[in-house]
Amino acid sequence: MTQWARPLGHLTTGRLSSVPLTPRERFGLLVIDEPQDRVPILPLITAHAAHAAGVSLRDYYTDGQQMARAQLFTQERYGTDFISLFSEVGIVAEALGTQFTYPEDDLPILNRPKWLKLGQLDDYVVNPERDGRLRVYLDAARHAYEARGDTVPILAYIPAPFTTAQQLVDGETFLIGLVAEPEKVRALLDYATRSVIRFARAVIDASALPILVDPLASGSVISAQHYQGFALPSEQAVIKFLHRYDLDVVLHICGDTTAILELMAASGADLLSVDQIDLATAVRQVGNRCRLIGNLDTTTLWLASAAEVSQLVERMVSIGKANPKGYVAATGCEVPIATPAENITAFVKTAAAAGKNPDWPLGSFEKSGLKAGRG
Amino acid sequence: MSRTGQTGPYTDPEPRRITFDEWGELFQKIPDELIEQFHYFPPNREPWSAYLFPPQTFAIYGCRHLRRLKFDNSLAALRLWGFVQNETERLFRARQTGRRVIATMGDLGAIPVIVNSFPDCLAFYPDCIWWTPFVMESSVLLDTATKLGVGEMTCFSRAALGAFAKQAYFPAPDLVIAATGASCDDYSGIEQLVADLVPEVLWVEIPFRCEARNRTPADRTYAHQLLVAEYQRVVARLELLTGHRLTAAELQAGISRANRVRRMVTRLRELAYGLGVLPALEMMVIEFGNLHYYSDIDEWTTILAHLVATAEARARAGQRLHPVDAVRLIWVTPPADPLLLCYVEDEGGRVVGTEYVINQALVPIAEHRPGLEAIAESFMAASLIGSTRERIAAVFQQAIEHQAEGVIVSGILGGSHCAMESRLITDYVQQELGLPVLEFDVAPPGPELDRQTTTRIDAFLELVRSRRTG
């Protein structure tokens, strides 16, 4: 008992403020509707991680170990609350047969879609350990999880069926098909959905949390009617699968999604990641149903000064943290590769300060109404 | 479909211990209707209360060790794991839905019977957080405890202090009831530090049972009366907290519920340790469920019924999980690292008895006596509050009953009582039973067992096997 020789009372509630939560603890509280010490912070750092860690882009998206190394480096450097495994949205399409080229210092470029026309389906479902670069993501997830999985959530971005399908055929043909050959588009979406789900399962097995990304379903690309008729049902199918595992599902759609915000909430996603929309509107419209992630403009993050970034982040967080179901301070889309480090640092520091919970720590103890003292 | 074990179109495969990846495959065969079937806090059916999820789910949320364990492949075991793994969420949901959440510390089994007799009250043991660093392969909670003044000199139970400080592993309790006296001395120290983090601790004295010193029956009566008086203070404080006066009928109902759990766990021990129809890892989880029912006695009871049905079906069918020549072992002191149990079974061992210092949670509580007296009487059987010799007697009894061939004592690094007791238990077992004993301290949390420990386990099992022929 000698190790307790110090007089009792040396611990005070004030000292608990020196016991910060880990990102995993923070996220864990968010998803069960509990207050956190501060809002979680998620600038969507993807390929920028390669730039920051001195890894070539081609190595980043073709070598899982390099992707993990870059992500671990940036998570630690900036003090963000997540690791975001992602390079681009073509990976499932590529695994199904679409061809990409791999520039040394740029992201993969779609070279030739699997089909030029609609209506040319086969029975194939991807093998995530073997096809295309899916294995890169799985390796990255495994490495990152081994390194930091106890303290930081590992997110792996999975392109949604609509975005994947659009890269399996000629893009223009696909968009015209929404009007001219809707049944063939739906069949293609079913085809893509099977492989997206198969990949999602592999991501789950690798202990990463899948994030569904559907940028080509954005209101900047298609109408709300087409979103509802085509993209949404396939998103719902994937989300239903993820809910079999009780996962907290993030749906990310870039661009202007104002017109489809209610529909996005109807997808069943637990967290909506939004981009070029008014955050206060999103809070009003879906804040009672969904946690929100967003949404600093990424061009601003890239080109503005650190001081300007801080100002905008502070305003954004003040709006977002009022969301009834919870909020994650984030960028609206991917952090541009060449974004200055000081701007990202400004984002994180400001979000942490502005997102601090004034009742933390021990707010709930005090609110319990019990009188201090021994029984 | 029954809530206790009838599972419609789904049928368990041949019993086997399976890996994390194999559960990933098997889970694909679980129909959606089954996932939607099971919820905690019955009859609640809120989506957040579903729990039939595979180890993959909990690994994603940080339970990294799950990827290295082996699990029973029954649906009942999947229920068990899903339920146990989401206890943190359940405690927060309890608070969100208006239940009183009471932290009980140190007595390991008695006070939750009282707490759970109150309407809308549930008890949990922060003590059990000691597994979290191992399950997550994480030093976060232990480091936090160190930062708050309790370092490696103290056992892994210091993780509870870290958890109180973090406020992310359970909600701020409405009340903390801490047992001290004849409890673990390390943990008493932890409790004292916790007292400085919370508004109120209700201290409860638990007496030492001292048969070894030839105390008289009057001494035992005094100890019993002391316990009853302490439990009366617990009731009074809970009545003040809840504004509800506990009736004798409510307490009797609480005791009946606890007894039902204890009877089923006793039956599972018979089946698992006698016939080898459940793995040692699941059995440890089951035995510890006796302490506080993983914060939901109603659902825990149905899970136990499902497990009993599964184990009995296996027994009837002659299905066994271990080879017939598996080395029969008694395990003394719960292993903080669950991987140890898996490793021993992988290497050909089979646990046929345990002395996890929680036998007080297994003893039936007399239902014909006044409630608090009966709870106290039951608690007086605790190995926790007796001499080491009495723990040894429990080991002897099980060793003889199940023809054990060896004893494993897994001590706790820094646990001051373990250092003394482990040596004594080892000496007595060797001298009086003539059984080989392997005694080691469990290494700190990590992805793998340390090589020295596995080498010693390998050598120990080889030694025991060599005695069969020699």
Side-chain angles (χ1 to χ4, degrees):
Chain A
M1 292 290 289
T2 52
Q3 58 264 51
W4 289 291
R6 282 187 294 166
L8 290 175
H10 69 283
L11 294 174
T12 64
T13 54
R15 278 194 65 187
L16 290 185
S17 56
S18 67
V19 181
L21 297 183
T22 65
R24 185 172 285 293
E25 290 163 343
R26 193 170 289 123
F27 184 61
L29 289 169
L30 173 77
V31 296
I32 57 171
D33 307 312
E34 287 291 323
Q36 311 99 55
D37 58 344
R38 62 162 171 79
V39 299
I41 301 169
L42 173 63
L44 302 181
I45 296 174
T46 55
H48 169 80
H51 174 76
V55 173
S56 88
L57 268 175
R58 187 158 61 195
D59 285 349
Y60 175 83
Y61 60 73
T62 58
D63 181 338
Q65 204 156 356
Q66 294 293 347
M67 182 184 277
R69 188 168 79 80
Q71 284 290 337
L72 290 163
F73 174 83
T74 47
Q75 190 274 327
E76 188 168 32
R77 174 175 181 174
Y78 296 124
T80 62
D81 285 322
F82 301 87
I83 283 170
S84 310
L85 305 174
F86 182 69
S87 61
E88 88 291 343
V89 293
I91 49 168
V92 176
E94 182 187 46
L96 282 166
T98 292
Q99 293 173 14
F100 285 77
T101 54
Y102 303 157
E104 171 76 21
D105 289 318
D106 203 349
L107 291 169
I109 297 168
L110 196 155
N111 188 32
R112 180 183 170 82
K114 179 170 184 172
W115 297 298
L116 295 176
K117 295 191 298 185
L118 291 165
Q120 298 179 302
L121 300 177
D122 55 39
D123 294 330
Y124 195 69
V125 176
V126 294
N127 178 334
E129 294 291 344
R130 194 189 60 201
D131 293 337
R133 286 173 296 123
L134 298 180
R135 175 72 183 267
V136 172
Y137 281 61
L138 303 181
D139 285 346
R142 291 177 190 123
H143 283 297
Y145 188 79
E146 282 292 339
R148 217 166 287 165
D150 61 328
T151 54
V152 184
I154 315 294
L155 312 180
Y157 290 66
I158 295 181
F162 190 86
T163 290
T164 296
Q166 213 165 144
Q167 295 174 87
L168 285 169
V169 296
D170 172 73
E172 196 175 324
T173 303
F174 181 88
L175 291 173
I176 293 170
L178 295 175
V179 177
E181 300 180 285
E183 290 314 311
K184 286 182 180 174
V185 170
R186 289 199 177 90
L188 182 63
L189 285 169
D190 289 345
Y191 175 85
T193 300
R194 287 192 287 277
S195 284
V196 169
I197 286 176
R198 183 65 195 87
F199 180 48
R201 192 184 139 199
V203 166
I204 289 168
D205 289 341
S207 300
L209 180 65
I211 286 194
L212 197 59
V213 287
D214 213 353
L216 300 182
S218 168
S220 310
V221 180
I222 59 172
S223 69
Q225 188 185 2
H226 282 148
Y227 176 79
Q228 184 171 19
F230 295 94
L232 180 61
S234 55
E235 287 170 0
Q236 287 170 324
V238 179
I239 290 168
K240 185 181 175 201
F241 174 80
L242 297 176
H243 278 167
R244 261 177 66 84
Y245 289 83
D246 197 31
L247 300 179
D248 298 287
V249 181
V250 180
L251 173 63
H252 172 78
I253 302 182
C254 343
D256 184 352
T257 52
T258 308
I260 60 169
L261 202 53
E262 291 281 354
L263 294 170
M264 286 173 69
S267 69
D270 304 280
L271 302 96
L272 298 183
S273 173
V274 295
D275 187 10
Q276 293 168 4
I277 68 171
D278 175 42
L279 189 58
T281 303
V283 170
R284 270 196 310 276
Q285 280 191 17
V286 298
N288 281 319
R289 284 167 284 162
C290 296
R291 300 163 192 99
L292 287 171
I293 301 175
N295 67 340
L296 187 76
D297 174 65
T298 47
T299 305
T300 303
L301 182 68
W302 175 22
L303 299 175
S305 67
E308 289 168 322
V309 167
S310 289
Q311 200 175 10
L312 291 167
V313 168
E314 191 170 349
R315 182 172 170 275
M316 173 189 80
V317 172
S318 71
I319 296 167
K321 74 177 184 180
N323 192 51
K325 282 292 280 183
Y327 172 65
V328 176
T331 49
C333 198
E334 289 178 80
V335 170
I337 290 172
T339 300
E342 57 266 29
N343 286 14
I344 301 173
T345 300
F347 179 102
V348 173
K349 280 190 172 175
T350 308
K356 189 169 168 18
N357 178 352
D359 293 331
W360 192 277
L362 284 187
S364 48
F365 278 123
E366 286 156 5
K367 283 173 192 163
S368 71
L370 289 173
K371 182 169 68 72
R374 302 274 167 84
Chain B
M1 194 186 306
S2 150
R3 291 180 50 75
T4 56
Q6 300 304 311
T7 52
Y10 182 81
T11 308
D12 277 338
E14 284 283 305
R16 203 161 63 84
R17 295 166 59 241
I18 60 174
T19 64
F20 177 85
D21 290 339
E22 287 173 317
W23 246 125
E25 286 296 323
L26 191 54
F27 186 69
Q28 305 309 311
K29 297 178 181 164
I30 304 279
D32 288 349
E33 308 85 72
L34 266 187
I35 296 171
E36 289 156 15
Q37 175 80 10
F38 301 112
H39 290 255
Y40 58 80
F41 296 150
N44 153 70
R45 305 287 297 169
E46 291 286 341
W48 46 255
S49 61
Y51 66 83
L52 189 71
F53 303 112
Q56 278 70 13
T57 296
F58 304 102
I60 286 174
Y61 289 96
C63 297
R64 298 194 289 182
H65 224 36
L66 297 179
R67 296 178 311 157
R68 307 179 214 279
L69 301 178
K70 280 191 179 170
F71 309 90
D72 186 273
N73 65 347
S74 65
L75 181 67
L78 184 65
R79 272 182 86 180
L80 166 84
W81 282 107
F83 185 74
V84 170
Q85 290 291 325
N86 79 1
E87 190 183 7
T88 284
E89 174 169 354
R90 182 157 52 253
L91 286 166
F92 280 105
R93 297 296 187 194
R95 169 59 64 77
Q96 290 169 8
T97 52
R99 292 168 172 85
R100 301 274 186 179
V101 176
I102 313 297
T104 53
M105 303 176 76
D107 80 322
L108 304 181
I111 292 174
V113 179
I114 301 170
V115 172
N116 288 348
S117 298
F118 279 82
D120 294 325
C121 276
L122 61 85
F124 76 101
Y125 277 100
D127 318 33
C128 294
I129 294 278
W130 86 320
W131 272 296
T132 300
F134 290 89
V135 173
M136 296 185 74
E137 296 172 2
S138 172
S139 64
V140 167
L141 288 178
L142 299 176
D143 290 346
T144 303
T146 300
K147 201 170 176 181
L148 294 171
V150 192
E152 291 178 348
M153 293 288 287
T154 312
C155 100
F156 301 124
S157 63
R158 71 184 190 276
L161 179 66
F164 267 101
K166 287 280 194 171
Q167 301 186 33
Y169 294 81
F170 45 79
D174 290 286
L175 179 66
V176 178
I177 303 174
T180 188
S183 62
C184 166
D185 51 359
D186 276 38
Y187 202 62
S188 286
I190 302 295
E191 290 172 340
Q192 290 173 43
L193 295 177
V194 166
D196 284 340
L197 301 183
V198 298
E200 178 181 7
V201 170
L202 179 66
W203 293 97
V204 172
E205 183 79 15
I206 54 178
F208 187 64
R209 184 186 64 246
C210 208
E211 280 88 346
R213 293 182 196 163
N214 296 321
R215 291 283 177 95
T216 65
D219 294 323
R220 186 178 170 85
T221 302
Y222 174 78
H224 178 256
Q225 287 173 344
L226 171 70
L227 263 180
V228 172
E230 291 297 89
Y231 293 160
Q232 284 168 341
R233 289 177 56 236
V234 169
V235 169
R237 185 63 192 84
L238 287 168
E239 286 181 342
L240 186 66
L241 177 75
T242 61
H244 175 84
R245 188 162 182 80
L246 183 69
T247 67
E250 286 169 334
L251 185 57
Q252 288 299 340
I255 289 170
S256 294
R257 285 196 297 271
N259 276 342
R260 186 166 178 222
V261 167
R262 293 177 183 202
R263 280 194 299 273
M264 284 194 284
V265 174
T266 300
R267 178 64 181 145
L268 285 167
R269 280 176 55 94
E270 289 166 3
L271 291 162
Y273 299 148
L275 298 175
V277 294
L278 285 173
L281 177 57
E282 275 77 4
M283 280 307 299
M284 182 172 76
V285 176
I286 289 165
E287 291 199 54
F288 273 84
N290 267 14
L291 301 193
H292 68 282
Y293 328 109
Y294 298 110
S295 310
D296 179 358
I297 190 169
D298 294 332
E299 190 59 20
W300 179 239
T301 302
T302 69
I303 292 168
L304 286 177
H306 194 169
L307 285 159
V308 169
T310 301
E312 286 182 335
R314 289 176 177 181
R316 280 193 303 274
Q319 296 170 322
R320 304 291 181 266
L321 284 165
H322 308 90
V324 287
D325 63 344
V327 175
R328 296 186 300 280
L329 302 164
I330 305 290
W331 201 294
V332 178
T333 306
D337 189 339
L339 191 54
L340 281 163
L341 291 169
C342 292
Y343 183 79
V344 165
E345 288 192 324
D346 283 346
E347 297 305 307
R350 180 190 146 206
V351 174
V352 297
T354 58
E355 209 311 282
Y356 287 158
V357 213
I358 55 168
N359 74 316
Q360 62 277 0
L362 199 62
V363 178
I365 305 167
E367 297 192 30
H368 61 281
R369 298 188 59 187
L372 297 184
E373 287 185 23
I375 294 169
E377 185 60 37
S378 163
F379 187 75
M380 287 299 290
S383 56
L384 181 72
I385 62 169
S387 67
T388 305
R389 184 177 282 278
E390 288 163 339
R391 287 189 71 194
I392 293 163
V395 174
F396 282 13
Q397 184 195 342
Q398 294 180 78
I400 292 164
E401 182 183 350
H402 294 297
Q403 298 173 300
E405 300 169 281
V407 174
I408 291 180
V409 184
S410 55
I412 309 302
L413 191 71
S416 50
H417 64 108
C418 284
M420 182 184 71
E421 283 206 327
S422 295
R423 188 73 254 164
L424 288 171
I425 291 168
T426 299
D427 289 349
Y428 272 110
V429 169
Q430 285 174 337
Q431 287 165 17
E432 298 189 24
L433 279 185
L435 290 180
V437 182
L438 174 65
E439 177 202 342
F440 58 85
D441 279 347
V442 177
E448 295 171 346
L449 297 174
D450 72 300
R451 184 63 63 87
Q452 187 186 48
T453 302
T454 57
T455 302
R456 292 184 66 199
I457 290 172
D458 294 345
F460 177 70
L461 293 174
E462 194 176 319
L463 168 73
V464 174
R465 284 192 197 96
S466 73
R467 285 163 52 98
R468 290 173 173 172
T469 53

Coordinates of all heavy atoms in Angstrom, one line a residue, chain B residues 123-150:
Chain B
A123 N -26.5 -2.0 -11.9 CA -25.2 -1.9 -11.4 C -24.1 -2.4 -12.4 O -24.5 -3.2 -13.3 CB -25.0 -2.8 -10.2
F124 N -23.0 -1.8 -12.4 CA -21.9 -2.4 -13.2 C -20.6 -2.3 -12.4 O -20.5 -1.5 -11.4 CB -21.7 -1.6 -14.5 CG -21.1 -0.2 -14.3 CD1 -19.7 0.0 -14.7 CD2 -21.8 0.9 -13.9 CE1 -19.1 1.2 -14.5 CE2 -21.2 2.1 -13.7 CZ -19.8 2.3 -14.1
Y125 N -19.6 -3.1 -12.8 CA -18.3 -3.1 -12.1 C -17.2 -2.4 -12.9 O -16.8 -3.0 -14.0 CB -17.9 -4.5 -11.8 CG -18.5 -5.1 -10.5 CD1 -19.5 -6.0 -10.6 CD2 -18.0 -4.8 -9.3 CE1 -20.1 -6.5 -9.4 CE2 -18.5 -5.3 -8.1 CZ -19.6 -6.1 -8.2 OH -20.2 -6.6 -7.1
P126 N -16.8 -1.2 -12.6 CA -15.6 -0.7 -13.3 C -14.4 -1.6 -13.2 O -13.5 -1.5 -14.0 CB -15.4 0.7 -12.5 CG -16.7 1.0 -11.8 CD -17.3 -0.4 -11.5
D127 N -14.4 -2.4 -12.1 CA -13.3 -3.4 -12.0 C -13.0 -4.2 -13.2 O -11.9 -4.5 -13.6 CB -13.7 -4.4 -10.9 CG -14.3 -3.8 -9.6 OD1 -15.1 -2.8 -9.8 OD2 -14.1 -4.3 -8.5
C128 N -14.1 -4.5 -14.0 CA -14.0 -5.3 -15.1 C -13.3 -4.6 -16.3 O -13.0 -5.2 -17.3 CB -15.3 -5.9 -15.5 SG -16.0 -7.1 -14.3
I129 N -13.1 -3.3 -16.2 CA -12.4 -2.5 -17.2 C -11.0 -3.0 -17.3 O -10.3 -2.7 -18.3 CB -12.5 -1.0 -16.8 CG1 -13.9 -0.5 -16.9 CG2 -11.5 -0.2 -17.7 CD1 -14.4 -0.1 -18.3
W130 N -10.5 -3.8 -16.4 CA -9.1 -4.3 -16.4 C -8.9 -5.1 -17.7 O -7.7 -5.2 -18.1 CB -8.8 -5.0 -15.1 CG -9.1 -6.5 -15.1 CD1 -10.2 -7.1 -15.6 CD2 -8.2 -7.5 -14.6 NE1 -10.1 -8.4 -15.4 CE2 -8.9 -8.7 -14.8 CE3 -7.0 -7.6 -14.0 CZ2 -8.4 -10.0 -14.4 CZ3 -6.5 -8.8 -13.6 CH2 -7.2 -10.0 -13.8
W131 N -9.9 -5.6 -18.3 CA -9.7 -6.4 -19.5 C -9.5 -5.4 -20.8 O -9.0 -5.8 -21.8 CB -10.9 -7.3 -19.8 CG -10.7 -8.6 -19.2 CD1 -9.7 -9.6 -19.5 CD2 -11.5 -9.2 -18.2 NE1 -9.8 -10.7 -18.7 CE2 -10.9 -10.5 -17.9 CE3 -12.6 -8.8 -17.5 CZ2 -11.5 -11.4 -16.9 CZ3 -13.2 -9.7 -16.5 CH2 -12.6 -10.9 -16.3
T132 N -10.0 -4.2 -20.6 CA -10.1 -3.3 -21.8 C -8.7 -3.1 -22.4 O -8.6 -3.2 -23.7 CB -10.8 -2.0 -21.4 OG1 -12.1 -2.3 -21.0 CG2 -10.8 -1.0 -22.6
P133 N -7.7 -2.8 -21.6 CA -6.4 -2.6 -22.3 C -5.9 -3.8 -23.1 O -5.2 -3.7 -24.1 CB -5.4 -2.3 -21.1 CG -6.3 -1.8 -20.0 CD -7.6 -2.5 -20.2
F134 N -6.3 -5.0 -22.6 CA -5.9 -6.2 -23.3 C -6.7 -6.4 -24.6 O -6.2 -6.7 -25.6 CB -6.0 -7.4 -22.4 CG -5.0 -7.4 -21.3 CD1 -5.2 -6.8 -20.1 CD2 -3.7 -8.0 -21.5 CE1 -4.2 -6.8 -19.1 CE2 -2.7 -8.0 -20.6 CZ -3.0 -7.4 -19.4
V135 N -8.0 -6.2 -24.5 CA -8.9 -6.4 -25.6 C -8.6 -5.3 -26.7 O -8.6 -5.7 -27.9 CB -10.4 -6.3 -25.2 CG1 -11.3 -6.3 -26.4 CG2 -10.7 -7.4 -24.2
M136 N -8.2 -4.2 -26.3 CA -7.8 -3.1 -27.3 C -6.4 -3.1 -27.7 O -5.9 -2.4 -28.5 CB -8.3 -1.7 -26.8 CG -9.8 -1.6 -26.6 SD -10.2 0.1 -26.1 CE -10.0 0.9 -27.7
E137 N -5.6 -3.9 -27.0 CA -4.1 -3.9 -27.1 C -3.6 -2.4 -27.0 O -3.0 -1.9 -27.9 CB -3.7 -4.5 -28.5 CG -4.1 -5.9 -28.6 CD -3.8 -6.5 -30.0 OE1 -3.4 -5.8 -30.9 OE2 -4.1 -7.7 -30.2
S138 N -4.0 -1.9 -25.9 CA -3.8 -0.4 -25.7 C -3.3 -0.1 -24.3 O -3.7 -0.7 -23.3 CB -5.1 0.3 -25.9 OG -5.0 1.6 -25.6
S139 N -2.4 0.9 -24.3 CA -1.9 1.3 -23.0 C -2.6 2.6 -22.5 O -2.3 3.2 -21.5 CB -0.4 1.6 -23.0 OG -0.2 2.7 -23.9
V140 N -3.7 3.0 -23.2 CA -4.3 4.3 -23.0 C -4.8 4.4 -21.5 O -4.5 5.4 -20.8 CB -5.4 4.6 -24.0 CG1 -6.3 5.8 -23.5 CG2 -4.9 4.9 -25.3
L141 N -5.6 3.5 -21.1 CA -6.1 3.6 -19.7 C -5.1 3.4 -18.7 O -5.1 4.1 -17.6 CB -7.3 2.5 -19.6 CG -8.5 2.8 -20.3 CD1 -9.6 1.7 -20.1 CD2 -9.1 4.2 -19.9
L142 N -4.2 2.5 -18.9 CA -3.1 2.3 -17.9 C -2.2 3.5 -17.8 O -1.8 3.9 -16.7 CB -2.3 1.0 -18.3 CG -3.1 -0.3 -18.3 CD1 -2.2 -1.4 -18.7 CD2 -3.7 -0.6 -16.9
D143 N -1.9 4.1 -19.0 CA -1.1 5.4 -19.0 C -1.9 6.5 -18.2 O -1.2 7.3 -17.5 CB -0.8 5.8 -20.4 CG 0.2 4.9 -21.1 OD1 0.8 4.0 -20.3 OD2 0.4 4.9 -22.3
T144 N -3.2 6.5 -18.5 CA -3.9 7.6 -17.8 C -3.9 7.4 -16.3 O -3.7 8.3 -15.5 CB -5.4 7.5 -18.3 OG1 -5.4 7.7 -19.7 CG2 -6.2 8.6 -17.6
A145 N -4.0 6.1 -15.8 CA -3.9 5.9 -14.4 C -2.5 6.3 -13.9 O -2.4 6.8 -12.8 CB -4.2 4.4 -14.1
T146 N -1.5 6.0 -14.7 CA -0.2 6.4 -14.3 C -0.1 7.9 -14.1 O 0.5 8.4 -13.1 CB 0.9 5.9 -15.3 OG1 0.8 4.5 -15.4 CG2 2.3 6.3 -14.9
K147 N -0.7 8.6 -15.0 CA -0.7 10.0 -15.0 C -1.4 10.5 -13.7 O -1.1 11.6 -13.2 CB -1.4 10.6 -16.2 CG -1.1 12.0 -16.6 CD -1.7 12.2 -18.0 CE -1.5 13.6 -18.4 NZ -2.1 13.9 -19.7
L148 N -2.4 9.8 -13.3 CA -3.1 10.2 -12.1 C -2.5 9.6 -10.8 O -3.1 9.7 -9.7 CB -4.6 9.7 -12.2 CG -5.4 10.4 -13.4 CD1 -6.7 9.7 -13.5 CD2 -5.5 11.9 -13.1
G149 N -1.3 9.0 -10.9 CA -0.6 8.6 -9.7 C -0.5 7.2 -9.4 O 0.1 6.8 -8.4
V150 N -1.0 6.3 -10.3 CA -0.9 4.9 -10.0 C -0.2 4.2 -11.2 O -0.8 3.9 -12.2 CB -2.3 4.2 -9.8 CG1 -2.2 2.8 -9.2 CG2 -3.1 5.1 -8.9

